[in-house]
């Protein structure tokens, strides 16, 4: 079975550019989570969806961040405009019911 | 308010010894789940073990066991017979299933475990 697929694996871009991170959850999972991991702040929950509907986006740091889930098999996290402090590893995870979350390999984002 | 506490930023253990990683949590939801994940230096998140709030027995998975003390709101991870490959970050996580939580999962700050040969 394919796991959670994230793309790109690495992204290096200049400050001010738009960044789009992509996630394909495991088929059949109805909950999808976006996390950001930094040394200073650890793993932060940014937003999560249930049945494609955003349930809690209180972790989204600023209006520069937005996330969508247009269908059950795809989600995006967008940063516009990007800033150096957005540099982090961004994880997507999916789950269903009482199952543990399955994580993607993450996107390592560097904003110069 | 922080809901998951891991008080040990770093731990050392001798190879082949057992080690306990602490986790305390805070919730008013009677139905919740507790997870432990391992993150090696390569960065992936690996699920280790799960304990449901209504489970009568402590969870076990191979060398991993969970010391669940519901009244104290603690869910400590015990790793027996430590191996060099156990060196990693370990995260405790909680899923709440309350009316407004919709299975929200949050993570503690993590504990860095180093296994010494």
């Amino acid at each position: 079975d394919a796991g959670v697929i994230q793309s790109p694996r690495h992204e290096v871009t200049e400050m001010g550019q738009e960044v789009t991170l992509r996630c394909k959850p495991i088929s059949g999972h109805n909950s999808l989570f976006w996390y950001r991991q930094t040394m200073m702040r650890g793993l932060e929950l940014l937003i999560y969806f249930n049945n494609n509907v955003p349930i809690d986006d209180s972790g989204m740091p600023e209006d520069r961040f937005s996330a969508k889930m247009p269908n059950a098999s795809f989600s995006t996290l967008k940063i516009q405009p990007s800033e150096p402090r957005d540099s982090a590893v961004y994880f997507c995870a999916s789950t269903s019911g009482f199952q543990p979350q399955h994580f993607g390999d993450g996107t390592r984002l560097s904003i110069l | 308010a922080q809901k998951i506490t891991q008080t040990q930023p770093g731990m050392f253990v001798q190879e082949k010894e057992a080690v306990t990683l602490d986790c305390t949590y805070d919730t008013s939801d009677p139905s919740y789940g507790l997870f432990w994940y391992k993150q090696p230096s390569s960065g992936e998140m690996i699920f280790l073990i799960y304990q449901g709030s209504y489970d009568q027995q402590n969870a076990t998975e191979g060398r991993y066991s969970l010391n669940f003390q519901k009244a104290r709101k603690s869910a400590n991870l015990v790793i027996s017979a430590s191996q060099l490959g156990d060196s990693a970050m370990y995260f405790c996580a909680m899923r709440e299933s309350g009316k407004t939580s919709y299975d929200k999962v949050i993570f503690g700050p993590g504990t860095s475990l180093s296994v010494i040969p």
Side-chain angles (χ1 to χ4, degrees):
Chain A
D1 287 341
V4 176
I5 299 172
Q6 289 186 247
S7 64
R9 290 295 310 276
H10 303 273
E11 175 90 11
V12 181
T13 192
E14 292 186 347
M15 182 176 65
Q17 296 297 308
E18 178 178 290
V19 173
T20 299
L21 311 181
R22 298 172 176 80
C23 176
K24 177 179 169 55
I26 291 174
S27 177
H29 284 186
N30 64 347
S31 293
L32 182 141
F33 304 77
W34 283 100
Y35 292 91
R36 178 173 69 176
Q37 186 176 33
T38 60
M39 288 292 291
M40 292 297 295
R41 301 175 69 92
L43 262 170
E44 302 174 274
L45 176 62
L46 300 177
I47 185 171
Y48 74 103
F49 296 83
N50 186 270
N51 293 324
N52 311 338
V53 177
I55 301 300
D56 186 342
D57 64 355
S58 60
M60 297 285 262
E62 301 172 31
D63 291 345
R64 299 184 296 105
F65 286 70
S66 62
K68 294 182 179 179
M69 191 164 187
N71 56 62
S73 59
F74 184 66
S75 177
T76 59
L77 177 67
K78 189 172 292 187
I79 308 172
Q80 167 62 20
S82 58
E83 296 182 5
R85 59 194 168 120
D86 302 332
S87 298
V89 179
Y90 291 80
F91 284 102
C92 175
S94 70
T95 187
S96 183
F98 292 95
Q99 299 302 310
Q101 290 176 311
H102 293 258
F103 280 78
D105 289 337
T107 294
R108 187 172 296 275
L109 178 64
S110 296
I111 308 297
L112 306 178
Chain B
Q2 185 174 355
K3 290 192 170 185
I4 304 286
T5 303
Q6 294 179 254
T7 58
Q8 308 149 313
M11 289 278 288
F12 290 90
V13 63
Q14 202 75 35
E15 192 178 8
K16 300 181 184 178
E17 297 292 312
V19 62
T20 298
L21 307 183
D22 295 341
C23 173
T24 58
Y25 58 92
D26 183 29
T27 181
S28 57
D29 189 346
S31 176
Y32 55 90
L34 298 156
F35 305 83
W36 278 91
Y37 285 82
K38 171 184 178 181
Q39 187 178 40
S41 58
S42 51
E44 70 268 32
M45 294 288 286
I46 302 168
F47 164 72
L48 296 178
I49 195 167
Y50 167 78
Q51 179 85 43
S53 59
Y54 293 119
D55 292 344
Q56 294 297 313
Q57 293 186 325
N58 287 344
T60 60
E61 287 287 347
R63 295 187 298 111
Y64 304 109
S65 60
L66 205 151
N67 184 0
F68 181 47
Q69 298 187 45
K70 193 171 182 177
R72 298 180 61 183
K73 293 187 176 178
S74 74
N76 299 338
L77 176 71
V78 181
I79 304 174
S80 62
S82 297
Q83 301 172 358
L84 296 179
D86 294 334
S87 295
M89 282 290 290
Y90 288 81
F91 293 95
C92 180
M94 177 175 68
R95 185 200 67 237
E96 296 177 299
S97 302
K99 292 180 181 179
T100 59
S101 294
Y102 280 92
D103 298 318
K104 181 175 183 176
V105 181
I106 57 172
F107 282 75
T111 294
S112 177
L113 178 67
S114 297
V115 180
I116 304 167

